[in-house]
Amino acid sequence: MAIDIGQFVQTFFEESFEGLDVMEAGLLALEPGVTTDLEKINTIFRAAHSIKGGGGTFGFKDVTDFTHLMETLLDGMREGRLSVTSEAVDALLQSVDCLREMLIAARENIPVEPEQVRALRARLSRLLNQQPAQNRAENTPSPTVAPASAPQAAGWRIQFRPHPQLMHSGNDPVRMFRELTELGKLTVRADASRLPKLADLRPEDSYLSWELELSGDATRDAVAEVFAWVEGDCDLNIEPLAAEAAPGVRAEPAPPAAPPGAEAGPKTGEEGRQGELLLERRKGEDRRRGDRRVNVAASDSASIRVGIDKVDAVINLVGELVTTQSMLSALGEDFDMSRLDKLHEALDQLDRNTRDLQEHVMRIRMLPVSSVFSRFPRMVHDVSAKLGKQVELQINGEQTELDKTVIEKIGDPLVHLIRNSLDHGLEPPDERARAGKPETGVIRLDAYHKSGSIFIEVGDDGRGLNREALLRKGLQEGLLRPGEEYSDEQIYDLIFHPGLSTAKQVSDVSGRGVGMDVVRSNIQDVGGSIQIASHPGQGTRITISLPLTLAILDGQLVSVGEDCYIIPLLSIIESVQVRADAVNRVAGKGEVFRFRGQPLPILRLYELFDTEGAVSDLEQGLLVVVEADGRQVGLFVDDLEGQQQVSIKSLEKNFRQVSGVAGATILGDGRVGLILDISGLIRVNNVAL
Amino acid sequence: MEKKTTELATLGQRGLLKRDATAEGLQYLTFSLAGEEYGIDILKVQEIRGWAPVTKVPNAPSFVRGVMNLRGAIVPVIDLRLRFGLETVEYTKTTVVIVATVQSASGSRIIGTVVDGVSDVLNLNPADIQPAPDFGTAVHTDFISGLVTVDAGMVMLLDVDRLLSVEEMFALENVRPTESHITAAAA
């Protein structure tokens, strides 16, 4: 019965990528020199083992072979035979990267770069043998492999002749052979010459002997261990497989050469150089690969994982909705005005049911932020090493949930912000020491809910933004006018300007000045906003606020002339009636209303939207005080028309984005209502005082 | 405010959308605007509605009257007279909105245009279609895909994708044609 396993391949890939993430997180948590936490190593080992197994099942041989090497190394670590060195951890981390690429290649059916794989295999094999002087540049290949000093060979020939009573103690050669197959490719030749005639055969005795050839990277110790239980009950001989020993592992990274003896010297150098070359290339590729990984994750997202509890909640609510529907149905059957109360009751219930259902369905699209945050420990680890800085990444609030679309879009901006902190914000250890700060800098990543929005903060305890440098750059580029007073906020806002960078050097990590404007527009695209706070010498904190959901909004309807607009309820602070004597005209800046002791700019919506027939006398209309991005403004409207929960439809689908308008919705009477973009209105009208 | 939400969709959807498999012809829906006849590829026409008040959109070019609710979708409505640089008129009971599917760089969009009235469906042979005359660079006429002469007169065939391209419309707002192509064509 053939089962088509092809349908499970997709699951294998999904699980393997997850497994790789587990491995990476585990490896980053390992502290070199401290080998006591076996459980951590075990976790990594198990993840590797699963990938190897899966790879074998689905026929991805190169994945299996590669993972096998990693697994052997990890096995050595958890058995205590190999020490957990930072070099080993590094090699494994890079192997995880390589394996990821191999899996992507396997899935997309494209070839993998062979040199990278070979180089890593060589590195892992060397680590397995724990050669002294373990450096990429220094390995001296010996022309012949001496079995005594270098247990590493291309394989082993095992002669295994059990004594007759071997099986009496419960040992089974087949089991042992199976174990051997886990170490590499096994060929078995049985010698049945000692088998007696059937009549004389005693079934519990061993008459067979075998000659086994195990090719692969296993160590002699690993092979011997398989037979550990039967040491006394057999004749065992383990010999290296002579034939391929000489070229063996050494030649892999270097081009195959002529007489090994003569080439010993130059080969080392070549190998070393090649190793470095590959490393250089890999450094450059790191970023690209990192980006590719992000892209892979993003393009995978046609599916989503949902907790059963969320699904159950929705099912229950649909059940209640059905009940309400039958109630209404029954009422409608023979309705008369005396049953009006019951109708109202049922409609109220319908309202509640719909709201609840809406809320719960929205939650299905919500994922914990950890899915975005998880890539940062690795990134910080790699980049800080590259920059020679010591950095600790603190993450809080990983379980905070966000809409899936929003999560996908804030990934890149967050990467950029953290890179900036690493590159420009945090100082190198010596500078930090001079400033009296601990040598290890801290980058904090926080996510939390507050008043209907999600906040994500990226903070560091570095040098903070250089106000003077920004001011100078701003004047230089003509973005600021000389002689004018600018607030800190306005100056920090400059970093969002495309092309503006005060970085003295442009590194490959950041500094080109193209990032922050894209960061801000990405965030604004999902309806969020971004703010900067900074203290010189103490650090910078960037706060991103994001809407909880993209699709539904509680809105306040307002009328302006014959038109109806919707103001998001969350942005409204208060609605007040204006007294003419409380309004002043500030030269060149417009009207200002004294609101709670603070001057509040007034935006006459009918002027902004060029509406006819609207109320123009300030005392006859209403002022709706709204807030966005920390700034407040008063919107002058004719009247308030009621509140409604509206579903947001994009104008861009058939039209395009209109400034001042966040989207549209269908009102109860079938008309289209425009939802105001408070943040945009404030920005565009630049009502700074 | 009179609410007219009746749909005259049958014209566009019933039967007329079936291409005659045997003939080599193309089918165009013709409509009248300011005394002239125009035609658009009928396969691009999604439906035809009577005029109903739309919601004004701020900061939009003058020929964008606003947006309307088309069974839950937000669809912009263009006044074709204003698009052609003519004076707009009062909308009457026979004023019609043609809802079309427009292809643009960013995908397909649904856009409505206000016309005076809808006329016939023409079956045309590609051979009958003459190329559009060139009025010079002052007037943007790349949305005219050809001309055809029928018994009743001349029909100008329009390329809906170009005519109702949102990107172009916004760019156009700054460059209004100095001379209406219609008067030029009539000359």
Side-chain angles (χ1 to χ4, degrees):
Chain A
M1 179 181 66
I3 306 173
D4 175 27
I5 57 168
Q7 51 181 314
F8 303 114
V9 167
Q10 198 47 45
T11 316
F12 160 67
F13 283 121
E14 278 173 18
E15 290 183 358
S16 297
F17 283 121
E18 281 177 15
L20 283 177
D21 286 338
V22 166
M23 287 179 73
E24 192 178 61
L27 285 166
L28 284 171
L30 282 182
E31 279 158 294
V34 179
T35 51
T36 48
D37 198 341
L38 284 178
E39 192 41 48
K40 277 197 194 142
I41 305 181
N42 246 325
T43 315
I44 308 172
F45 176 87
R46 278 195 297 268
H49 191 70
S50 301
I51 298 179
K52 188 181 91 165
T57 312
F58 292 98
F60 298 121
K61 187 163 187 314
D62 49 349
V63 168
T64 310
D65 286 346
F66 190 75
T67 319
H68 177 69
L69 256 186
M70 295 169 71
E71 197 191 58
T72 316
L73 183 53
L74 287 161
D75 193 38
M77 284 186 191
R78 74 174 176 172
E79 302 279 315
R81 273 180 283 130
L82 297 169
S83 46
V84 180
T85 62
S86 61
E87 205 211 320
V89 172
D90 250 358
L92 284 168
L93 277 172
Q94 292 197 0
S95 305
V96 167
D97 284 341
C98 182
L99 195 50
R100 196 174 270 124
E101 305 238 329
M102 290 171 83
L103 282 169
I104 296 175
R107 188 182 63 186
E108 312 287 329
N109 229 328
I110 54 176
V112 192
E113 252 184 69
E115 301 127 41
Q116 181 191 65
V117 179
R118 250 182 291 138
L120 271 171
R121 286 184 70 110
R123 206 168 149 204
L124 289 173
S125 309
R126 273 197 295 274
L127 282 165
L128 272 170
N129 300 323
Q130 295 248 284
Q131 288 282 14
Q134 197 55 243
N135 249 316
R136 279 180 285 284
E138 298 176 28
N139 279 310
T140 315
S142 34
T144 50
V145 178
S149 58
Q152 181 58 34
W156 304 97
R157 176 171 294 113
I158 306 160
Q159 279 147 348
F160 177 54
R161 186 140 95 67
H163 296 168
Q165 73 276 21
L166 182 128
M167 292 202 283
H168 292 198
S169 44
N171 290 299
D172 183 359
V174 179
R175 238 194 352 246
M176 291 190 272
F177 297 167
R178 276 212 200 101
E179 261 194 74
L180 282 175
T181 58
E182 301 225 341
L183 297 175
K185 199 167 92 130
L186 188 71
T187 336
V188 183
R189 271 193 298 274
D191 174 8
S193 52
R194 286 187 300 147
L195 264 181
K197 289 210 288 282
L198 192 57
D200 303 333
L201 183 82
R202 287 225 301 279
E204 297 118 64
D205 282 1
S206 298
Y207 299 100
L208 300 172
S209 61
W210 290 273
E211 194 168 289
L212 306 144
E213 269 176 27
L214 178 70
S215 55
D217 298 301
T219 60
R220 192 180 198 283
D221 283 342
V223 176
E225 197 176 300
V226 171
F227 297 97
W229 285 105
V230 298
E231 256 181 310
D233 291 324
C234 67
D235 295 330
L236 183 65
N237 196 13
I238 306 179
E239 273 169 13
L241 277 176
E244 310 104 86
V249 172
R250 292 293 163 269
E252 279 181 22
E263 299 272 344
K267 207 197 263 188
T268 321
E270 232 174 275
E271 183 196 300
R273 242 177 293 129
Q274 191 151 18
E276 279 162 25
L277 260 170
L278 286 167
L279 203 64
E280 289 296 312
R281 192 168 359 137
R282 202 176 306 129
K283 267 195 201 159
E285 284 174 345
D286 251 350
R287 191 156 181 221
R288 209 182 53 208
R289 200 179 317 140
D291 296 343
R292 197 180 351 162
R293 201 203 318 183
V294 171
N295 291 337
V296 164
S299 62
D300 279 358
S301 56
S303 64
I304 186 174
R305 275 230 164 125
V306 182
I308 285 264
D309 54 330
K310 288 186 183 174
V311 178
D312 283 340
V314 171
I315 291 181
N316 284 339
L317 287 170
V318 171
E320 285 178 33
L321 189 64
V322 169
T323 312
T324 309
Q325 185 260 338
S326 12
M327 227 164 84
L328 281 167
S329 200
L331 267 176
E333 252 169 44
D334 66 292
F335 183 72
D336 63 61
M337 288 310 280
S338 66
R339 306 176 78 194
L340 192 61
D341 280 346
K342 285 230 145 57
L343 181 64
H344 277 303
E345 230 178 78
L347 286 173
D348 276 341
Q349 202 164 319
L350 182 63
D351 181 72
R352 276 197 306 274
N353 287 145
T354 321
R355 269 178 200 266
D356 284 343
L357 191 57
Q358 218 172 49
E359 200 185 292
H360 280 79
V361 167
M362 281 298 122
R363 289 221 202 112
I364 289 182
R365 283 200 104 225
M366 310 264 270
L367 288 175
V369 204
S370 54
S371 57
V372 186
F373 285 4
S374 59
R375 75 182 80 155
F376 293 131
R378 177 70 193 276
M379 189 186 113
V380 169
H381 175 262
D382 288 348
V383 177
S384 60
K386 205 194 290 195
L387 297 172
K389 296 182 183 171
Q390 287 164 7
V391 183
E392 185 195 330
L393 178 66
Q394 291 171 356
I395 300 186
N396 283 317
E398 287 178 291
Q399 292 311 310
T400 313
E401 291 195 340
L402 262 191
D403 181 281
K404 186 169 190 281
T405 316
V406 175
I407 283 190
E408 283 164 13
K409 290 214 148 170
I410 56 160
D412 283 345
L414 283 176
V415 167
H416 192 89
L417 292 175
I418 292 189
R419 277 219 168 104
N420 274 352
S421 279
L422 284 168
D423 207 18
H424 303 300
L426 289 174
E427 317 93 323
D430 48 348
E431 199 181 312
R432 283 183 72 88
R434 281 199 299 271
K437 295 190 202 174
E439 281 190 4
T440 306
V442 173
I443 295 185
R444 257 184 27 254
L445 202 51
D446 290 317
Y448 54 90
H449 281 280
K450 198 171 95 162
S451 44
S453 298
I454 303 256
F455 289 87
I456 298 185
E457 285 183 7
V458 181
D460 65 64
D461 65 349
R463 12 174 124 94
L465 290 176
N466 190 336
R467 189 183 194 277
E468 290 312 311
L470 278 169
L471 182 57
R472 248 178 301 143
K473 214 57 203 285
L475 290 168
Q476 203 179 326
E477 304 281 327
L479 297 164
L480 297 176
R481 285 188 294 274
E484 284 223 15
E485 279 283 319
Y486 289 101
S487 69
D488 281 354
E489 223 184 70
Q490 286 167 305
I491 297 194
Y492 295 150
D493 209 58
L494 284 175
I495 70 172
F496 290 118
H497 203 272
L500 192 87
S501 169
T502 57
K504 294 203 183 50
Q505 290 158 299
V506 169
S507 70
D508 90 283
V509 174
S510 55
R512 286 195 188 83
V514 292
M516 287 306 267
D517 60 320
V518 175
V519 167
R520 185 158 70 173
S521 61
N522 272 12
I523 291 175
Q524 284 171 350
D525 276 349
V526 290
S529 64
I530 180 168
Q531 264 150 317
I532 308 180
S534 177
H535 296 281
Q538 286 174 26
T540 310
R541 191 180 67 236
I542 299 184
T543 309
I544 301 173
S545 77
L546 298 160
L548 258 180
T549 139
L550 295 182
I552 305 256
L553 183 69
D554 279 316
Q556 170 69 55
L557 274 69
V558 297
S559 58
V560 180
E562 287 190 351
D563 301 326
C564 198
Y565 294 98
I566 295 164
I567 301 177
L569 214 51
L570 285 173
S571 329
I572 300 182
I573 299 193
E574 205 176 314
S575 303
V576 293
Q577 280 206 298
V578 183
R579 279 189 347 268
D581 57 0
V583 177
N584 298 83
R585 286 205 75 91
V586 177
K589 302 248 191 202
E591 295 168 302
V592 162
F593 172 68
R594 269 195 312 280
F595 179 65
R596 306 248 187 94
Q598 295 291 332
L600 187 77
I602 294 180
L603 257 182
R604 293 180 184 243
L605 284 182
Y606 69 87
E607 265 178 16
L608 197 65
F609 297 144
D610 202 15
T611 321
E612 290 167 1
V615 172
S616 52
D617 179 355
L618 279 180
E619 292 200 337
Q620 297 294 324
L622 270 180
L623 201 66
V624 181
V625 183
V626 293
E627 180 187 67
D629 300 329
R631 293 199 278 203
Q632 293 182 359
V633 80
L635 301 175
F636 182 67
V637 302
D638 289 9
D639 207 354
L640 296 180
E641 302 291 340
Q643 292 178 4
Q644 195 179 324
Q645 206 177 47
V646 296
S647 68
I648 306 173
K649 293 189 184 283
S650 164
L651 272 179
E652 289 164 332
K653 189 161 187 306
N654 290 322
F655 192 47
R656 65 175 236 164
Q657 202 179 48
V658 178
S659 76
V661 175
T665 187
I666 313 287
L667 299 172
D669 59 2
R671 280 186 303 160
V672 175
L674 294 177
I675 303 169
L676 297 181
D677 171 17
I678 306 299
S679 175
L681 282 176
I682 293 180
R683 226 183 308 135
V684 160
N685 289 284
N686 205 10
V687 280
L689 281 174
Chain B
M1 215 181 309
E2 193 193 341
K3 247 190 277 179
K4 240 209 257 183
T5 49
T6 41
E7 294 172 32
L8 309 172
T10 51
L11 245 188
Q13 286 166 353
R14 212 198 281 161
L16 294 174
L17 283 177
K18 262 199 299 209
R19 268 207 205 286
D20 192 344
T22 54
E24 266 280 334
L26 304 163
Q27 287 190 319
Y28 282 83
L29 173 72
T30 58
F31 60 87
S32 59
L33 189 78
E36 303 288 334
E37 288 287 312
Y38 299 89
I40 51 175
D41 181 359
I42 202 160
L43 284 184
K44 299 248 176 195
V45 176
Q46 185 177 296
E47 65 192 80
I48 302 169
R49 291 168 79 101
W51 164 255
V54 295
T55 303
K56 241 184 54 162
V57 174
N59 303 318
S62 54
F63 46 75
V64 177
R65 300 291 303 213
V67 286
M68 70 171 172
N69 167 16
L70 187 74
R71 294 185 296 279
I74 312 284
V75 173
V77 177
I78 314 274
D79 184 318
L80 215 50
R81 277 170 176 262
L82 293 174
R83 172 82 169 86
F84 286 168
L86 301 171
E87 289 291 313
T88 187
V89 289
E90 278 288 317
Y91 293 162
T92 71
K93 275 195 281 232
T94 54
T95 304
V96 172
V97 177
I98 299 179
V99 180
T101 316
V102 174
Q103 288 301 326
S104 77
S106 38
S108 83
R109 296 187 149 136
I110 304 176
I111 302 187
T113 66
V114 181
V115 302
D116 292 351
V118 167
S119 316
D120 249 336
V121 173
L122 291 181
N123 281 302
L124 297 176
N125 205 314
D128 295 336
I129 301 177
Q130 296 150 38
D134 178 17
F135 298 109
T137 53
V139 179
H140 293 253
T141 52
D142 22 336
F143 49 76
I144 300 184
S145 60
L147 296 169
V148 71
T149 314
V150 292
D151 300 330
M154 193 169 66
V155 176
M156 251 169 294
L157 302 176
L158 305 175
D159 179 341
V160 166
D161 294 333
R162 290 229 171 85
L163 180 71
L164 301 179
S165 147
V166 174
E167 293 88 359
E168 212 179 279
M169 277 192 264
F170 275 80
L172 256 190
E173 176 66 346
N174 306 320
V175 183
R176 311 259 344 221
T178 49
E179 189 194 1
S180 160
H181 73 281
I182 297 163
T183 45

